[in-house]
């Protein structure tokens, strides 16, 4: 059986163009100009070839979003730096990627000569990342004892207590509360998350008022919120952190503590996505196995990020199909504040 490093399946995304403000001259940063990026990604998509399931490969939709954000984001002086940054960020976004070759074109570079294009190409492999970046920290088939297909598609399978990663990974969390002062609880939980080392809160949705789905009848409505974070934690460490925040807000887990399945909660925090990784352990499944059917997660997620995708499908499309989406409303706390989804 070939090793993962011998595999050469390729995804190519060419000609993605956006306006950026990269360059050494002040007028370049002030006025901006078009940049074009080509990406060639090396991975093993044999599992996707057999299953015909998007979850078994890397989503080029997510890669395109990452590239556009880098072009339009914080400016670099050199396109060499932009290419290097993109290659590394793309590799960090999904542990299944083995290599990324990024070409950045600057067709309107300030040259007095007549020319068609200026471009640079950076090729990076996982070996160019920190030895504790997502893929290595997660473990390989030798660590986890996975099958060839699982090795190709799972990417992340770190044991409990795995070391913290050095590279930041974006994750989406869903928060809910229907006991006590839920507005204050959710605000406090987000503040607590912001204070944790190795985690940054990047965006947060407005609060949504939703009816309980499942569980005992006659329980109070929930307040729900979706946030996006950047973290250097492994999936298991992120789970431990969210459970610590739950405990700080008087969440008592387990039937032995009186907790009812899908019952009332002072605070519930679910990990919905962790980059494009797939995790399946007794304690944690990512992406969240029921998120695609939960309007109380999907609707506020679209308020936070209208272009978000889950499993390669726009979250807005999933929200339109979720049975409970019609009952999700902007919380009263926002009605007179000008906040709109």
């Amino acid at each position: 059986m070939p090793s993962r490093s011998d595999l050469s399946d390729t995804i190519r995304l060419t000609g993605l163009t956006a306006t950026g403000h990269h360059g050494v001259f002040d007028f370049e940063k002030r006025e901006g100009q078009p940049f074009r990026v080509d990406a060639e990604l090396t991975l093993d998509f044999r599992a996707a070839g057999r299953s015909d399931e998007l979850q078994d490969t890397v989503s080029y939709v997510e890669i395109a979003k990452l590239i556009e954000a880098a072009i339009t984001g914080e400016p670099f002086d050199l396109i060499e730096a932009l290419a290097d940054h993109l290659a590394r960020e793309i590799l960090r976004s999904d542990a299944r990627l083995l290599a990324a070759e990024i070409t950045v074109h600057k067709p309107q570079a300030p040259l007095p000569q007549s020319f068609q294009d200026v471009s640079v190409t950076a090729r990076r492999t996982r070996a160019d990342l920190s030895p504790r970046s997502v893929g290595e920290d997660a473990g390989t088939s030798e660590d986890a004892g996975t099958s060839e297909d699982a090795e190709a598609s799972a990417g992340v399978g770190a044991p409990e207590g795995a070391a913290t990663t050095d590279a930041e990974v974006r994750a989406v969390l869903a928060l809910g509360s229907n006991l006590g002062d839920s507005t204050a609880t959710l605000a406090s939980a987000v503040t607590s998350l912001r204070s944790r080392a190795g985690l940054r809160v990047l965006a947060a949705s407005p609060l949504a008022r939703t009816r309980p789905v499942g569980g005992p009848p006659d329980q109070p409505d929930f307040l729900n919120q979706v946030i996006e974070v950047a973290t250097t934690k492994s999936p298991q460490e992120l789970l431990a952190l969210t459970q610590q925040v739950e405990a700080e807000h008087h969440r008592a887990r387990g039937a032995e503590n009186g907790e009812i399945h899908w019952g009332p909660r002072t605070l519930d925090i679910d990990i919905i996505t962790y980059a494009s990784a797939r995790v399946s352990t007794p304690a944690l499944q990512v992406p969240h196995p029921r998120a695609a059917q939960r309007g109380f997660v999907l609707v506020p997620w679209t308020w936070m990020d209208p272009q978000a995708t889950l499993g390669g499908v726009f979250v807005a499309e999933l929200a339109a199909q979720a049975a409970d989406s019609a009952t999700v409303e902007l919380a009263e706390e926002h009605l007179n504040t000008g906040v709109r989804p």
Side-chain angles (χ1 to χ4, degrees):
M1 183 182 74
S3 69
R4 292 183 69 177
S5 60
D6 295 330
L7 300 171
S8 58
D9 295 339
T10 302
I11 294 174
R12 290 185 180 88
L13 175 63
T14 60
L16 195 153
T17 303
T19 298
H21 296 262
H22 313 286
V24 296
F25 297 110
D26 289 342
F27 74 86
E28 292 183 289
K29 289 186 167 60
R30 182 177 64 252
E31 299 174 9
Q33 60 188 294
F35 292 84
R36 189 173 72 252
V37 171
D38 305 327
E40 182 172 305
L41 312 178
T42 302
L43 70 162
D44 174 10
F45 55 64
R46 289 177 296 178
R50 287 190 287 269
S51 70
D52 197 26
E53 295 286 343
L54 184 57
Q55 65 185 10
D56 288 332
T57 188
V58 173
S59 170
Y60 55 76
V61 174
E62 296 299 325
I63 298 300
K65 288 171 60 177
L66 195 157
I67 292 172
E68 182 179 39
I71 295 175
T72 60
E74 192 71 21
F76 291 91
D77 285 350
L78 303 178
I79 55 175
E80 290 90 339
L82 176 58
D84 178 82
H85 167 78
L86 267 171
R88 294 174 186 274
E89 287 301 297
I90 288 172
L91 286 174
R92 288 165 177 154
S93 74
D94 196 303
R96 293 170 292 185
L97 289 170
L98 306 178
E101 182 173 295
I102 303 299
T103 300
V104 176
H105 302 264
K106 190 177 181 180
Q108 294 183 14
L111 292 177
Q113 295 83 9
S114 176
F115 70 101
Q116 291 185 335
D117 189 22
V118 173
S119 68
V120 299
T121 299
R123 179 175 174 80
R124 302 290 181 264
T125 69
R126 303 209 72 80
D128 293 305
L129 302 181
S130 160
R132 291 168 62 200
S133 64
V134 174
E136 291 82 354
D137 186 58
T140 64
S141 60
E142 289 78 12
D143 300 319
T146 59
S147 67
E148 175 183 310
D149 283 353
E151 179 189 35
S153 62
V156 175
E160 297 290 340
T164 302
T165 62
D166 288 332
E168 280 193 332
V169 172
R170 292 194 174 199
V172 172
L173 308 180
L175 290 69
S177 171
N178 72 337
L179 289 180
D181 186 344
S182 294
T183 301
T185 295
L186 294 181
S188 175
V190 173
T191 298
S192 182
L193 289 167
R194 289 185 189 276
S195 71
R196 301 303 171 111
L199 187 143
R200 295 185 299 123
V201 177
L202 303 177
S205 75
L207 300 184
R209 183 166 296 279
T210 67
R211 296 175 187 170
V213 175
D218 302 325
Q219 59 176 309
D221 286 349
F222 274 84
L223 286 183
N224 292 96
Q225 186 173 33
V226 172
I227 67 172
E228 182 179 27
V229 302
T231 183
T232 57
K233 303 290 186 183
S234 70
Q236 288 75 17
E237 289 175 322
L238 182 59
L239 175 64
L241 187 155
T242 60
Q243 291 183 350
Q244 289 172 3
V245 174
E246 289 176 339
E248 291 172 1
H249 293 82
H250 311 294
R251 168 78 181 270
R253 284 187 166 272
E256 67 277 10
N257 293 313
E259 186 172 66
I260 302 171
H261 185 55
W262 289 348
R265 300 282 189 269
T266 56
L267 179 63
D268 185 56
I269 305 177
D270 287 332
I271 301 173
I272 305 301
T273 64
Y274 181 91
S276 298
R278 297 175 64 197
V279 182
S280 182
T281 71
L284 178 64
Q285 292 188 14
V286 176
H288 193 288
R290 292 176 295 281
Q293 292 82 42
R294 289 179 163 180
F296 62 85
V297 171
L298 300 168
V299 173
W301 192 354
T302 65
W303 296 346
M304 180 184 73
D305 181 2
Q307 301 302 314
T309 60
L310 177 62
V313 180
F314 282 110
V315 171
E317 295 180 15
L318 296 171
Q321 299 169 11
D324 64 314
S325 287
T327 68
V328 179
E329 301 175 345
L330 187 67
E332 295 89 340
E333 289 81 354
H334 297 309
L335 293 182
N336 297 317
T337 63
V339 174
R340 291 293 181 268

PDB file of all heavy atoms in Angstrom, residues 77-101:
ATOM      1  N   ASP A  77       3.388  43.453   1.707  1.00  0.00           N
ATOM      2  CA  ASP A  77       4.236  44.203   0.780  1.00  0.00           C
ATOM      3  C   ASP A  77       4.547  43.372  -0.461  1.00  0.00           C
ATOM      4  O   ASP A  77       4.562  43.884  -1.582  1.00  0.00           O
ATOM      5  CB  ASP A  77       5.548  44.602   1.466  1.00  0.00           C
ATOM      6  CG  ASP A  77       5.369  45.746   2.461  1.00  0.00           C
ATOM      7  OD1 ASP A  77       4.275  46.354   2.479  1.00  0.00           O
ATOM      8  OD2 ASP A  77       6.309  46.010   3.228  1.00  0.00           O
ATOM      9  N   LEU A  78       4.822  42.076  -0.256  1.00  0.00           N
ATOM     10  CA  LEU A  78       5.285  41.219  -1.348  1.00  0.00           C
ATOM     11  C   LEU A  78       4.245  40.158  -1.687  1.00  0.00           C
ATOM     12  O   LEU A  78       3.632  39.570  -0.787  1.00  0.00           O
ATOM     13  CB  LEU A  78       6.589  40.525  -0.955  1.00  0.00           C
ATOM     14  CG  LEU A  78       7.764  41.421  -0.560  1.00  0.00           C
ATOM     15  CD1 LEU A  78       8.965  40.560  -0.164  1.00  0.00           C
ATOM     16  CD2 LEU A  78       8.142  42.358  -1.698  1.00  0.00           C
ATOM     17  N   ILE A  79       4.081  39.891  -2.989  1.00  0.00           N
ATOM     18  CA  ILE A  79       3.189  38.799  -3.365  1.00  0.00           C
ATOM     19  C   ILE A  79       3.813  37.461  -2.996  1.00  0.00           C
ATOM     20  O   ILE A  79       3.105  36.465  -2.855  1.00  0.00           O
ATOM     21  CB  ILE A  79       2.805  38.853  -4.855  1.00  0.00           C
ATOM     22  CG1 ILE A  79       4.043  38.871  -5.763  1.00  0.00           C
ATOM     23  CG2 ILE A  79       1.918  40.040  -5.136  1.00  0.00           C
ATOM     24  CD1 ILE A  79       3.692  38.795  -7.245  1.00  0.00           C
ATOM     25  N   GLU A  80       5.145  37.420  -2.810  1.00  0.00           N
ATOM     26  CA  GLU A  80       5.769  36.203  -2.300  1.00  0.00           C
ATOM     27  C   GLU A  80       5.222  35.858  -0.916  1.00  0.00           C
ATOM     28  O   GLU A  80       4.970  34.688  -0.603  1.00  0.00           O
ATOM     29  CB  GLU A  80       7.296  36.373  -2.229  1.00  0.00           C
ATOM     30  CG  GLU A  80       7.987  36.435  -3.575  1.00  0.00           C
ATOM     31  CD  GLU A  80       8.105  37.847  -4.118  1.00  0.00           C
ATOM     32  OE1 GLU A  80       7.335  38.736  -3.683  1.00  0.00           O
ATOM     33  OE2 GLU A  80       8.973  38.063  -4.980  1.00  0.00           O
ATOM     34  N   ALA A  81       5.061  36.888  -0.088  1.00  0.00           N
ATOM     35  CA  ALA A  81       4.533  36.665   1.257  1.00  0.00           C
ATOM     36  C   ALA A  81       3.067  36.237   1.210  1.00  0.00           C
ATOM     37  O   ALA A  81       2.634  35.382   1.989  1.00  0.00           O
ATOM     38  CB  ALA A  81       4.688  37.932   2.096  1.00  0.00           C
ATOM     39  N   LEU A  82       2.299  36.826   0.284  1.00  0.00           N
ATOM     40  CA  LEU A  82       0.906  36.430   0.133  1.00  0.00           C
ATOM     41  C   LEU A  82       0.800  34.976  -0.309  1.00  0.00           C
ATOM     42  O   LEU A  82      -0.020  34.212   0.222  1.00  0.00           O
ATOM     43  CB  LEU A  82       0.211  37.340  -0.883  1.00  0.00           C
ATOM     44  CG  LEU A  82      -1.238  36.991  -1.239  1.00  0.00           C
ATOM     45  CD1 LEU A  82      -2.127  36.994  -0.003  1.00  0.00           C
ATOM     46  CD2 LEU A  82      -1.766  37.963  -2.294  1.00  0.00           C
ATOM     47  N   ALA A  83       1.639  34.557  -1.256  1.00  0.00           N
ATOM     48  CA  ALA A  83       1.606  33.170  -1.732  1.00  0.00           C
ATOM     49  C   ALA A  83       1.990  32.201  -0.622  1.00  0.00           C
ATOM     50  O   ALA A  83       1.357  31.150  -0.442  1.00  0.00           O
ATOM     51  CB  ALA A  83       2.539  33.010  -2.931  1.00  0.00           C
ATOM     52  N   ASP A  84       3.031  32.544   0.130  1.00  0.00           N
ATOM     53  CA  ASP A  84       3.452  31.680   1.240  1.00  0.00           C
ATOM     54  C   ASP A  84       2.350  31.588   2.291  1.00  0.00           C
ATOM     55  O   ASP A  84       2.031  30.495   2.784  1.00  0.00           O
ATOM     56  CB  ASP A  84       4.730  32.238   1.859  1.00  0.00           C
ATOM     57  CG  ASP A  84       5.210  31.418   3.040  1.00  0.00           C
ATOM     58  OD1 ASP A  84       5.864  30.383   2.820  1.00  0.00           O
ATOM     59  OD2 ASP A  84       4.920  31.813   4.194  1.00  0.00           O
ATOM     60  N   HIS A  85       1.757  32.718   2.636  1.00  0.00           N
ATOM     61  CA  HIS A  85       0.669  32.737   3.618  1.00  0.00           C
ATOM     62  C   HIS A  85      -0.496  31.870   3.167  1.00  0.00           C
ATOM     63  O   HIS A  85      -1.023  31.054   3.943  1.00  0.00           O
ATOM     64  CB  HIS A  85       0.203  34.180   3.821  1.00  0.00           C
ATOM     65  CG  HIS A  85      -1.083  34.320   4.563  1.00  0.00           C
ATOM     66  ND1 HIS A  85      -1.182  34.195   5.934  1.00  0.00           N
ATOM     67  CD2 HIS A  85      -2.355  34.555   4.111  1.00  0.00           C
ATOM     68  CE1 HIS A  85      -2.439  34.353   6.296  1.00  0.00           C
ATOM     69  NE2 HIS A  85      -3.174  34.575   5.223  1.00  0.00           N
ATOM     70  N   LEU A  86      -0.900  32.008   1.909  1.00  0.00           N
ATOM     71  CA  LEU A  86      -2.026  31.237   1.402  1.00  0.00           C
ATOM     72  C   LEU A  86      -1.748  29.743   1.416  1.00  0.00           C
ATOM     73  O   LEU A  86      -2.600  28.942   1.813  1.00  0.00           O
ATOM     74  CB  LEU A  86      -2.362  31.688  -0.017  1.00  0.00           C
ATOM     75  CG  LEU A  86      -3.428  32.764  -0.144  1.00  0.00           C
ATOM     76  CD1 LEU A  86      -3.515  33.270  -1.574  1.00  0.00           C
ATOM     77  CD2 LEU A  86      -4.773  32.229   0.310  1.00  0.00           C
ATOM     78  N   ALA A  87      -0.546  29.355   0.979  1.00  0.00           N
ATOM     79  CA  ALA A  87      -0.215  27.929   0.946  1.00  0.00           C
ATOM     80  C   ALA A  87      -0.297  27.320   2.340  1.00  0.00           C
ATOM     81  O   ALA A  87      -0.852  26.231   2.535  1.00  0.00           O
ATOM     82  CB  ALA A  87       1.172  27.723   0.348  1.00  0.00           C
ATOM     83  N   ARG A  88       0.242  28.024   3.320  1.00  0.00           N
ATOM     84  CA  ARG A  88       0.246  27.501   4.684  1.00  0.00           C
ATOM     85  C   ARG A  88      -1.170  27.489   5.278  1.00  0.00           C
ATOM     86  O   ARG A  88      -1.561  26.525   5.951  1.00  0.00           O
ATOM     87  CB  ARG A  88       1.193  28.325   5.561  1.00  0.00           C
ATOM     88  CG  ARG A  88       2.658  28.201   5.151  1.00  0.00           C
ATOM     89  CD  ARG A  88       3.544  29.142   5.962  1.00  0.00           C
ATOM     90  NE  ARG A  88       4.917  29.124   5.472  1.00  0.00           N
ATOM     91  CZ  ARG A  88       5.840  28.255   5.862  1.00  0.00           C
ATOM     92  NH1 ARG A  88       5.523  27.337   6.758  1.00  0.00           N
ATOM     93  NH2 ARG A  88       7.055  28.300   5.364  1.00  0.00           N
ATOM     94  N   GLU A  89      -1.936  28.567   5.052  1.00  0.00           N
ATOM     95  CA  GLU A  89      -3.288  28.622   5.598  1.00  0.00           C
ATOM     96  C   GLU A  89      -4.182  27.553   4.987  1.00  0.00           C
ATOM     97  O   GLU A  89      -5.020  26.955   5.681  1.00  0.00           O
ATOM     98  CB  GLU A  89      -3.889  30.014   5.373  1.00  0.00           C
ATOM     99  CG  GLU A  89      -3.297  31.090   6.259  1.00  0.00           C
ATOM    100  CD  GLU A  89      -3.475  30.774   7.737  1.00  0.00           C
ATOM    101  OE1 GLU A  89      -4.634  30.707   8.190  1.00  0.00           O
ATOM    102  OE2 GLU A  89      -2.456  30.571   8.424  1.00  0.00           O
ATOM    103  N   ILE A  90      -4.032  27.301   3.711  1.00  0.00           N
ATOM    104  CA  ILE A  90      -4.835  26.266   3.060  1.00  0.00           C
ATOM    105  C   ILE A  90      -4.483  24.893   3.638  1.00  0.00           C
ATOM    106  O   ILE A  90      -5.370  24.081   3.936  1.00  0.00           O
ATOM    107  CB  ILE A  90      -4.643  26.317   1.540  1.00  0.00           C
ATOM    108  CG1 ILE A  90      -5.353  27.550   0.976  1.00  0.00           C
ATOM    109  CG2 ILE A  90      -5.164  25.041   0.876  1.00  0.00           C
ATOM    110  CD1 ILE A  90      -5.069  27.811  -0.488  1.00  0.00           C
ATOM    111  N   LEU A  91      -3.212  24.611   3.824  1.00  0.00           N
ATOM    112  CA  LEU A  91      -2.819  23.335   4.411  1.00  0.00           C
ATOM    113  C   LEU A  91      -3.373  23.197   5.833  1.00  0.00           C
ATOM    114  O   LEU A  91      -3.823  22.122   6.238  1.00  0.00           O
ATOM    115  CB  LEU A  91      -1.296  23.205   4.433  1.00  0.00           C
ATOM    116  CG  LEU A  91      -0.619  22.924   3.094  1.00  0.00           C
ATOM    117  CD1 LEU A  91       0.891  22.978   3.254  1.00  0.00           C
ATOM    118  CD2 LEU A  91      -1.042  21.570   2.545  1.00  0.00           C
ATOM    119  N   ARG A  92      -3.350  24.284   6.582  1.00  0.00           N
ATOM    120  CA  ARG A  92      -3.848  24.231   7.952  1.00  0.00           C
ATOM    121  C   ARG A  92      -5.363  24.083   8.011  1.00  0.00           C
ATOM    122  O   ARG A  92      -5.914  23.669   9.031  1.00  0.00           O
ATOM    123  CB  ARG A  92      -3.424  25.490   8.703  1.00  0.00           C
ATOM    124  CG  ARG A  92      -1.934  25.526   9.036  1.00  0.00           C
ATOM    125  CD  ARG A  92      -1.478  26.905   9.442  1.00  0.00           C
ATOM    126  NE  ARG A  92      -0.067  26.908   9.827  1.00  0.00           N
ATOM    127  CZ  ARG A  92       0.727  27.957   9.762  1.00  0.00           C
ATOM    128  NH1 ARG A  92       0.253  29.115   9.313  1.00  0.00           N
ATOM    129  NH2 ARG A  92       1.990  27.867  10.125  1.00  0.00           N
ATOM    130  N   SER A  93      -6.053  24.432   6.930  1.00  0.00           N
ATOM    131  CA  SER A  93      -7.512  24.403   6.949  1.00  0.00           C
ATOM    132  C   SER A  93      -8.084  22.999   6.897  1.00  0.00           C
ATOM    133  O   SER A  93      -9.234  22.784   7.287  1.00  0.00           O
ATOM    134  CB  SER A  93      -8.065  25.216   5.768  1.00  0.00           C
ATOM    135  OG  SER A  93      -7.899  24.522   4.539  1.00  0.00           O
ATOM    136  N   ASP A  94      -7.288  22.029   6.426  1.00  0.00           N
ATOM    137  CA  ASP A  94      -7.815  20.662   6.313  1.00  0.00           C
ATOM    138  C   ASP A  94      -6.650  19.690   6.377  1.00  0.00           C
ATOM    139  O   ASP A  94      -5.741  19.731   5.542  1.00  0.00           O
ATOM    140  CB  ASP A  94      -8.574  20.474   5.000  1.00  0.00           C
ATOM    141  CG  ASP A  94      -9.447  19.232   5.024  1.00  0.00           C
ATOM    142  OD1 ASP A  94      -8.895  18.135   5.265  1.00  0.00           O
ATOM    143  OD2 ASP A  94     -10.661  19.335   4.793  1.00  0.00           O
ATOM    144  N   ALA A  95      -6.681  18.816   7.373  1.00  0.00           N
ATOM    145  CA  ALA A  95      -5.572  17.892   7.609  1.00  0.00           C
ATOM    146  C   ALA A  95      -5.406  16.863   6.505  1.00  0.00           C
ATOM    147  O   ALA A  95      -4.385  16.185   6.440  1.00  0.00           O
ATOM    148  CB  ALA A  95      -5.757  17.190   8.952  1.00  0.00           C
ATOM    149  N   ARG A  96      -6.391  16.734   5.617  1.00  0.00           N
ATOM    150  CA  ARG A  96      -6.273  15.770   4.521  1.00  0.00           C
ATOM    151  C   ARG A  96      -5.408  16.284   3.387  1.00  0.00           C
ATOM    152  O   ARG A  96      -4.977  15.516   2.532  1.00  0.00           O
ATOM    153  CB  ARG A  96      -7.673  15.415   4.002  1.00  0.00           C
ATOM    154  CG  ARG A  96      -8.508  14.638   4.999  1.00  0.00           C
ATOM    155  CD  ARG A  96      -9.945  14.517   4.561  1.00  0.00           C
ATOM    156  NE  ARG A  96     -10.630  15.805   4.586  1.00  0.00           N
ATOM    157  CZ  ARG A  96     -11.923  15.958   4.337  1.00  0.00           C
ATOM    158  NH1 ARG A  96     -12.662  14.909   4.020  1.00  0.00           N
ATOM    159  NH2 ARG A  96     -12.483  17.155   4.400  1.00  0.00           N
ATOM    160  N   LEU A  97      -5.145  17.581   3.352  1.00  0.00           N
ATOM    161  CA  LEU A  97      -4.314  18.150   2.296  1.00  0.00           C
ATOM    162  C   LEU A  97      -2.850  17.827   2.569  1.00  0.00           C
ATOM    163  O   LEU A  97      -2.340  18.061   3.657  1.00  0.00           O
ATOM    164  CB  LEU A  97      -4.517  19.660   2.235  1.00  0.00           C
ATOM    165  CG  LEU A  97      -5.876  20.114   1.689  1.00  0.00           C
ATOM    166  CD1 LEU A  97      -6.056  21.612   1.895  1.00  0.00           C
ATOM    167  CD2 LEU A  97      -6.015  19.753   0.219  1.00  0.00           C
ATOM    168  N   LEU A  98      -2.167  17.317   1.543  1.00  0.00           N
ATOM    169  CA  LEU A  98      -0.766  16.937   1.678  1.00  0.00           C
ATOM    170  C   LEU A  98       0.167  18.018   1.173  1.00  0.00           C
ATOM    171  O   LEU A  98       1.288  18.158   1.662  1.00  0.00           O
ATOM    172  CB  LEU A  98      -0.511  15.637   0.907  1.00  0.00           C
ATOM    173  CG  LEU A  98      -1.435  14.466   1.259  1.00  0.00           C
ATOM    174  CD1 LEU A  98      -1.108  13.264   0.399  1.00  0.00           C
ATOM    175  CD2 LEU A  98      -1.327  14.128   2.734  1.00  0.00           C
ATOM    176  N   ALA A  99      -0.260  18.772   0.163  1.00  0.00           N
ATOM    177  CA  ALA A  99       0.570  19.838  -0.395  1.00  0.00           C
ATOM    178  C   ALA A  99      -0.337  20.868  -1.045  1.00  0.00           C
ATOM    179  O   ALA A  99      -1.463  20.568  -1.460  1.00  0.00           O
ATOM    180  CB  ALA A  99       1.558  19.290  -1.414  1.00  0.00           C
ATOM    181  N   ALA A 100       0.157  22.095  -1.126  1.00  0.00           N
ATOM    182  CA  ALA A 100      -0.568  23.176  -1.791  1.00  0.00           C
ATOM    183  C   ALA A 100       0.418  23.978  -2.619  1.00  0.00           C
ATOM    184  O   ALA A 100       1.466  24.408  -2.111  1.00  0.00           O
ATOM    185  CB  ALA A 100      -1.272  24.070  -0.768  1.00  0.00           C
ATOM    186  N   GLU A 101       0.109  24.157  -3.880  1.00  0.00           N
ATOM    187  CA  GLU A 101       0.910  25.010  -4.758  1.00  0.00           C
ATOM    188  C   GLU A 101       0.068  26.219  -5.130  1.00  0.00           C
ATOM    189  O   GLU A 101      -0.994  26.084  -5.745  1.00  0.00           O
ATOM    190  CB  GLU A 101       1.339  24.252  -6.012  1.00  0.00           C
ATOM    191  CG  GLU A 101       2.226  25.091  -6.930  1.00  0.00           C
ATOM    192  CD  GLU A 101       2.793  24.272  -8.078  1.00  0.00           C
ATOM    193  OE1 GLU A 101       3.591  23.351  -7.807  1.00  0.00           O
ATOM    194  OE2 GLU A 101       2.409  24.554  -9.240  1.00  0.00           O
TER     195      GLU A 101
END
